[in-house]
Amino acid sequence: MPIKVQNELPVKEILESENIFVMDEDRAIHQDIRPLQILILNLMPLKEDTELQLLRCLSNSPLQLDITFMVPATHRNKTGSLSHINKFYVHFNEIKDKFFDGMIITGAPVENMEFEEVDYWKELVNIMEWSERHVTSTMYQCWGAQAAMYHFFDIQKRKLPEKMFGLFWHRVNERRIPLVRGFDDKFMCPHSRHTEIPMDEVRKHPEITVLTESEEAGFLIGMADNGRKIFVQGHPEYDRLTLDKEYKRDTDKGMEIAVPKNYYPNDDPKNTPLLTWRAISAALYANWINYYVYQVTPYDMYGTPDFGKK
């Protein structure tokens, strides 16, 4: 699938080296089709790492995607390049009058804070409310999923006794739902978090369909509003070495952290991790784009439920 990005986006060269078809703005002008408009609210501190992970995941579709990256205006990024953000990202007030076929709201390293303590919380609430009228389907990831569950369903996140860190087995609950089409009955997926969406609270809301879960890691994938809201508490977008980088970053700081579970062969950090979740990740993003964005969104972005309401 061609992914349309800005001409000079640094990760474009990496994607092209991996034989992923990336279309720049100049070539896209000559395409006589309407690409799907995908907005990514990137709340992660290492912007380029997250860009690369998500663009890889979104490449498994024959459809053309036009990607817009956004950051909160009410938060100052303390890591990464400010010039990169200024050049390749927009703020909410620049796109609030537009409509998007799909949106991804990423996780953020703020899970130990109360939601209202996060400096951009009010802006995030405005964006989530705006998405009800301006986005066909929104995928909320990790802390983003916790934030959406809290805002829309008043489900408070719960602090874990120790970090949920590593690869964990999950099972599929609702195989008839297209979002998990192609999933194995049991599969591995990465988690890296200190809090969780409590399953007992989720089950009190019949409007939330729990699609996959884990005996050890709990909630992974769910949906509401016929797929207009997708919740993913884990990190299927992670690369082979993302957990490795997190583990070595924390150990280098002298922090006490357990070796990520089921990740390194023989639990030895000197060994290269096996990539055991790529197929599930590809299926998840391809299914989301196909069944909950492309086949639902109108050609002119009007006609979807709630679109056009003020």
Side-chain angles (χ1 to χ4, degrees):
M1 168 199 70
I3 299 176
K4 177 178 172 288
V5 297
Q6 296 98 321
N7 293 352
E8 300 176 16
L9 188 71
V11 299
K12 178 175 178 285
E13 184 176 345
I14 299 175
L15 293 167
E16 289 175 332
S17 71
E18 297 175 1
N19 203 30
I20 294 174
F21 185 11
V22 181
M23 180 180 296
D24 62 25
E25 296 163 311
D26 296 333
R27 182 170 180 180
I29 291 173
H30 301 286
Q31 295 272 320
D32 190 22
I33 61 174
R34 184 180 84 74
L36 296 177
Q37 299 293 323
I38 306 297
L39 178 65
I40 299 177
L41 177 58
N42 189 353
L43 303 175
M44 294 296 285
L46 301 178
K47 303 299 183 192
E48 293 185 51
D49 286 358
T50 304
E51 293 163 14
L52 185 58
Q53 291 166 9
L54 290 177
L55 291 177
R56 280 194 185 116
C57 292
L58 292 171
S59 69
N60 293 288
S61 166
L63 303 168
Q64 182 179 321
L65 307 185
D66 188 347
I67 307 296
T68 300
F69 290 105
M70 182 169 68
V71 289
T74 47
H75 175 72
R76 182 172 179 81
N77 202 61
K78 298 178 182 178
T79 59
S81 169
L82 184 59
S83 62
H84 179 84
I85 294 174
N86 290 338
K87 186 172 185 178
F88 298 111
Y89 282 74
V90 299
H91 290 146
F92 179 53
N93 66 343
E94 299 175 67
I95 55 88
K96 64 182 180 180
D97 294 327
K98 297 182 179 181
F99 293 87
F100 290 85
D101 302 294
M103 178 167 69
I104 295 174
I105 296 181
T106 73
V110 294
E111 57 180 319
N112 287 324
M113 301 171 62
E114 296 297 326
F115 291 114
E116 291 82 1
E117 293 176 350
V118 177
D119 56 4
Y120 52 82
W121 176 248
K122 289 184 178 179
E123 183 179 2
L124 179 59
V125 168
N126 288 337
I127 292 170
M128 289 190 287
E129 287 294 316
W130 167 87
S131 72
E132 296 281 84
R133 302 180 301 277
H134 288 256
V135 182
T136 302
S137 177
T138 301
M139 179 182 287
Y140 299 91
Q141 299 184 336
C142 201
W143 180 83
Q146 296 180 353
M149 289 277 198
Y150 176 67
H151 173 65
F152 290 114
F153 303 104
D154 199 29
I155 298 175
Q156 179 62 268
K157 66 181 187 292
R158 179 184 297 160
K159 189 171 180 60
L160 295 168
E162 61 181 21
K163 186 176 183 180
M164 191 69 65
F165 190 44
L167 296 176
F168 300 90
W169 283 103
H170 301 77
R171 67 178 183 272
V172 176
N173 294 340
E174 297 286 348
R175 183 161 296 284
R176 295 172 297 176
I177 303 296
L179 188 64
V180 293
R181 185 165 292 173
F183 280 35
D184 294 325
D185 289 339
K186 296 186 70 176
F187 62 92
M188 300 285 271
C189 187
H191 288 261
S192 178
R193 51 187 167 80
H194 295 276
T195 57
E196 68 173 355
I197 299 171
M199 283 299 304
D200 55 336
E201 293 299 318
V202 174
R203 296 196 193 283
K204 295 178 182 178
H205 294 268
E207 62 271 39
I208 301 173
T209 301
V210 179
L211 300 175
T212 67
E213 61 182 298
S214 166
E215 291 184 4
E216 189 171 2
F219 178 87
L220 177 63
I221 302 173
M223 58 182 278
D225 292 349
N226 294 317
R228 295 202 65 202
K229 298 183 182 70
I230 305 291
F231 311 104
V232 183
Q233 188 176 214
H235 285 288
E237 81 282 4
Y238 269 10
D239 295 331
R240 180 194 304 271
L241 296 178
T242 306
L243 292 177
D244 175 70
K245 292 177 182 178
E246 291 185 12
Y247 173 70
K248 291 175 180 176
R249 174 200 65 197
D250 291 347
T251 54
D252 288 347
K253 292 180 180 178
M255 299 173 61
E256 293 186 8
I257 182 171
V259 173
K261 292 185 178 181
N262 306 314
Y263 182 57
Y264 298 112
N266 301 318
D267 288 330
D268 185 349
K270 295 180 182 178
N271 293 329
T272 301
L274 296 178
L275 186 57
T276 58
W277 62 96
R278 177 63 59 82
I280 292 299
S281 176
L284 171 64
Y285 287 90
N287 289 342
W288 174 59
I289 289 293
N290 183 21
Y291 298 113
Y292 298 93
V293 179
Y294 172 66
Q295 295 197 32
V296 178
T297 194
Y299 185 84
D300 61 0
M301 291 194 184
Y302 285 87
T304 300
D306 294 331
F307 273 18
K309 289 185 179 180
K310 300 298 183 181

